[in-house]
Amino acid sequence: MVVYGGHGFFGRLVVEDLLANTDARIVIAGRRARQSPISPRVIFATSDLNDAASVRALLVGASVLVNCAGPYQLQPPILVHEAIAAGVHYVDLAEDREFVRAARACDEAARRASVAVMSGFSVVPGLTALLVQMLRDRFDRMISIRTFVAPGTRGSRGPATVRSLLGGAGRPLRVLREGREHKARGWSEPEWIEFPLPVGWRLQYLAIETAGLDAPSRDCEVQRIEFKAGSEFPWLNRSLAVVARLRALTGFPPLARLADAMRIFLKLLGRFGTDAGGVLVEIAGTKESEMVTEQVALIAEHHGERIPSLPAAIAVGLLLRGELTDRGAVPLSTWTSRARLFEEFHRRGLRWWLKPGGDFNWRALNNEADFKTQ
């Protein structure tokens, strides 16, 4: 299998997970081949994802291509097109709405080639879609889907992640409100959200526009969809909110130019933080004509920065073992069962939590049976 962007922050995490949970031989591709030893099962190759010929040559004999080379909003869809042409399954961690749309538009071509196209396998839209599906039968009608992310602070972020965050601060983004898309501003609308311990309360802000707007709104006909995030340091969140407001009013400062400095700052700041992290999905809707709100959370007590990389890594493992047989643009909400989802995340040391409607306390879920009894 081939991993583009395997040297990057999330790419390294995907490779580490695949080495721990599969027996795959991995080719890490980049514009410059690096020879730092990782494992006897890993080799390095030079390939530019913007050069179709070099991609084509590298895919000969491969079974899966994993695209971890963000930022996706700046990337042409060459990798997905070449994967389909080569008869190779394709997986990425994209959160960018237009990129995921373009990849999923290759559904018919992928079906003809008998390959799976799995785009958006990060927190949003991928993990969110799975968690929404997990709670779907607890409602007669879903009205609101909100996703909150509390990243582990101790794990530093890669350049692409920091550029994406700073690029969205103060910029217009689209959110779904009352069934229609409305414009909001990146890093605005602060809100305190309680995650299960050890994460606890986190100050969250509208972060970036994501592909999460599309699939749930189409499949569930919900009226509201949001994605919020925030670090464990409220002062850092508030500082970024002030800068975002200033940028929205004046266009200054040009935050994208500060990405490298911010990444170094976050790395130093991480020494004073924790590495616990989590994802929380809150769904509001009706059940027997009454309004109900429920929350489900996935928590990593250590190395919380892994979470966005895990849906893609799990999907690749299922493809390699022949346990995922869907072809074409694979639906985000149904590519694996709820029981398998519990099993895969538990095996990696993460814990599931549920806050049922009307309850103020989080309840630990050890397996799918626990979920069914709540």
Side-chain angles (χ1 to χ4, degrees), residues 141-207:
R141 182 191 176 209
M142 293 183 177
I143 296 174
S144 169
I145 298 172
R146 305 203 299 157
T147 303
F148 304 94
V149 175
T153 305
R154 195 171 297 167
S156 63
R157 294 298 183 269
T161 305
V162 176
R163 281 198 298 269
S164 179
L165 172 62
L166 294 181
R171 297 300 192 197
L173 58 83
R174 290 168 291 182
V175 294
L176 192 71
R177 303 270 173 83
E178 298 175 348
R180 294 181 292 111
E181 289 188 10
H182 292 260
K183 285 186 178 180
R185 177 169 46 84
W187 218 256
S188 65
E189 301 186 20
E191 178 180 2
W192 284 97
I193 297 295
E194 183 190 18
F195 288 77
L197 294 174
V199 176
W201 288 93
R202 289 287 181 94
L203 185 58
Q204 302 271 288
Y205 289 77
L206 285 176

Side-chain angles (χ1 to χ4, degrees), residues 40-160:
R41 291 193 281 135
V42 175
I43 62 174
F44 300 89
T46 303
S47 177
D48 187 340
L49 62 81
N50 295 300
D51 181 353
S54 75
V55 175
R56 198 173 304 132
L58 196 60
L59 291 182
V60 174
S63 57
V64 182
L65 185 158
V66 187
N67 180 5
C68 303
Y72 295 94
Q73 58 265 39
L74 304 177
Q75 188 181 135
I78 291 174
L79 290 181
V80 65
H81 290 161
E82 291 302 324
I84 292 171
V88 173
H89 300 304
Y90 171 89
V91 181
D92 68 43
L93 288 73
E95 295 182 342
D96 180 69
R97 191 180 189 186
E98 298 307 320
F99 185 92
V100 173
R101 279 181 171 179
R104 297 188 66 80
C106 299
D107 175 65
E108 185 177 344
R111 289 180 185 276
R112 288 197 303 267
S114 192
V115 301
V117 170
M118 308 181 75
S119 184
F121 277 60
S122 184
V123 170
V124 284
L127 186 55
T128 295
L130 285 173
L131 299 185
V132 169
Q133 185 68 18
M134 180 184 295
L135 292 177
R136 193 169 185 170
D137 58 4
R138 300 168 74 92
F139 295 85
D140 296 327
R141 182 191 176 209
M142 293 183 177
I143 296 174
S144 169
I145 298 172
R146 305 203 299 157
T147 303
F148 304 94
V149 175
T153 305
R154 195 171 297 167
S156 63
R157 294 298 183 269

